Amino acid sequence: MCPLSKLNVGAACRIKQLFAAPEIAHRLRELGFCEEQRIQPLSQQANFISQVCNVRYGISAELAEAIWVEPLSANDLAA
């Protein structure tokens, strides 16, 4: 597991844990950043752009550090 900010652009992964204040974690879950949800980072510049639930979101580097993910293997992607 690693923070979303450390993942390579284009690498599919699954959210494992949110290390954020309860109100921020709640808001992230409302947007679709839920545990076990698939996510794909699309850009890592000033903001981190990720695709989750077929929607693209731009989040701060601080939030990207708080979202811990697990890279998906080829078998996970086929499922």
Side-chain angles (χ1 to χ4, degrees):
M1 281 192 348
C2 66
L4 179 61
S5 61
K6 303 293 185 214
L7 212 62
N8 292 330
V9 170
C13 58
R14 185 180 318 273
I15 297 172
K16 297 309 280 182
Q17 195 164 4
L18 301 176
F19 290 102
E23 60 276 1
I24 293 175
H26 178 74
R27 183 65 179 137
L28 285 169
R29 288 182 184 104
E30 287 180 335
L31 294 171
F33 290 85
C34 303
E35 289 83 351
E36 300 304 316
Q37 178 63 47
R38 290 183 186 188
I39 185 172
Q40 184 176 21
L42 301 175
S43 173
Q44 294 179 347
Q45 295 177 2
N47 288 320
F48 287 79
I49 299 173
S50 297
Q51 184 167 326
V52 61
C53 299
N54 292 321
V55 177
R56 293 179 184 191
Y57 288 105
I59 60 173
S60 68
E62 182 181 359
L63 277 180
E65 284 287 324
I67 300 171
W68 278 61
V69 298
E70 174 182 65
L72 295 176
S73 68
N75 291 338
D76 294 330
L77 293 173

